[in-house]
Amino acid sequence: MSFSAPKKHNLFLLSLVILWYSSNIGVLLLNKYLLSNYGFRFPIFLTMCHMSACAILSYFSIAFLKIVPLQPIKSKSQFLKIATLSTVFCGSVVGGNISLRFLPVSFNQAVGATTPFFTALFAYLMTLKREAWVTYAALVPVVAGVVIASGGEPGFHLYGFIMCISATAARAFKSVLQGILLSSEGEKLNSMNLMLYMSPIAVIVLLPTALVMEPNVLEVTLSLAKQHKFLWLLLIINSSMAYSANLLNFLVTKHTSALTLQVLGNAKGAVAVVISILLFRNPVTFIGIAGYTMTVMGVAAYGEAKRRFR
């Protein structure tokens, strides 16, 4: 049985999207399982494992598999800009992982959906870039939805919520900062090369941070590994999935339109929420679901308004 070129392309895209969803949702759920249910309470060390895998696999993918051409760093200034982005990126990932210790995945995703609000805020504050008033109006339900979801969340934890909001804001800040710092044609990097350079810097930042803030991490990890023989395997799978999520995000972005990517991204969050509720059995309320739905609809309206009034 042979397929026509369009059918082959559609099958390829479908496979990419399924793998992208699987890796993104998989790493999220495995993070939650390790940090909350498994007794591995070291979010900084876990993030360092992720960044180590990203550094090794990025180099292998670019140097040997030639997924994308290698883009060399051309100046000390460019390196310092990448190091700044890497530090902000570390903060966003660590904050997100810390929040998973205290919050259900479903609520974590609801808060994370407010990224467009923070992106618009930082874009205005840092570049004075203004959007049409309709675009800003679409952000009202994004924020209102999270406020409603917070009030209806049985597992609400203030520290976890602060960490989650901080991680979301840092992710948006990194996105805007990247647009400013790497704006010149000579300094622009595709996401795979950026990951290649950011990951080793992140490991250098996170290693001493983990040793200072999680001083017993090695002792407890070795002790847990004796009790749970699959701990090392779970850490390797989890770290590899963190890299594959970035790789597949790059490939999906490359092979689809911005609008398709936005729709798929919104749907991915909803799928993650449903699967996490089924797996972890965390209680949800009608108010919480209504709040999250309002946020997702606001994000979709924001994307559409931004596209129309660009």
Side-chain angles (χ1 to χ4, degrees), residues 21-38:
Y21 271 40
S22 301
S23 58
N24 270 271
I25 296 170
V27 76
L28 179 68
L29 297 178
L30 200 46
N31 282 350
K32 175 65 179 173
Y33 177 67
L34 284 167
L35 293 167
S36 289
N37 299 48
Y38 207 79

Side-chain angles (χ1 to χ4, degrees), residues 71-82:
Q71 295 174 285
I73 294 177
K74 296 176 180 176
S75 65
K76 182 182 177 182
S77 167
Q78 187 185 18
F79 172 77
L80 290 174
K81 289 173 181 178
I82 292 168

Side-chain angles (χ1 to χ4, degrees), residues 79-89 177 181 201:
F79 172 77
L80 290 174
K81 289 173 181 178
I82 292 168
T84 304
L85 288 173
S86 181
T87 305
V88 175
F89 181 62
L177 194 63
L181 295 182
I201 297 168

